[in-house]
Amino acid sequence: MIIKRDIIVIAISVVIATAIPFVYMSREGKKIQCKTFHTSAGWGYDILVGNKLLIHQQFVPAIAEKKGFDTEASAKKIARLVIDKLENNKLPTITHHELTQICSN
């Protein structure tokens, strides 16, 4: 005999099963991208998920002084590394080693 509790469990299960594809598609639809910008301190970058700003990096990360990247290309290389980390579910932090390795090329 079906009781009220069973009906509630079945209803919740149907709602969850129906929602899963929509949640998955919304994640897939959110493209992560970078945009570079120039300031008086040098170059920086923004990381956007969909159209929402996630990271605004106006100074070079992993160094003590507040200065921008020397070139737009360097800012873009580091921004792409951050995007790669985000896409692979890693923290979007940059180490000094990564910075010197990427920006010296």
Side-chain angles (χ1 to χ4, degrees):
M1 184 161 129
I2 298 177
I3 58 175
K4 186 176 179 181
R5 181 183 51 126
D6 293 335
I7 292 172
I8 292 172
V9 170
I10 291 170
I12 291 172
S13 297
V14 169
V15 169
I16 291 172
T18 304
I20 288 173
F22 292 106
V23 171
Y24 181 77
M25 287 187 334
S26 69
R27 283 187 188 163
E28 290 295 314
K30 292 188 179 184
K31 182 178 178 184
I32 303 175
Q33 60 185 346
C34 67
K35 291 186 179 181
T36 56
F37 57 86
H38 193 262
T39 68
S40 59
W43 287 91
Y45 62 84
D46 288 334
I47 303 292
L48 298 106
V49 178
N51 291 325
K52 189 173 182 179
L53 180 65
L54 179 66
I55 298 171
H56 177 74
Q57 189 69 49
Q58 65 185 32
F59 302 115
V60 178
I63 62 170
E65 59 187 303
K66 289 188 174 185
K67 71 173 210 160
F69 289 93
D70 292 332
T71 65
E72 182 179 19
S74 293
K76 191 166 273 194
K77 286 178 185 178
I78 295 298
R80 287 186 181 140
L81 175 60
V82 170
I83 289 172
D84 184 56
K85 288 183 176 194
L86 288 168
E87 289 176 340
N88 289 296
N89 297 319
K90 296 180 181 175
L91 290 175
T93 57
I94 300 297
T95 65
H96 189 268
H97 176 72
E98 290 169 327
L99 183 66
T100 55
Q101 192 174 36
I102 291 172
C103 291
S104 65
N105 292 337

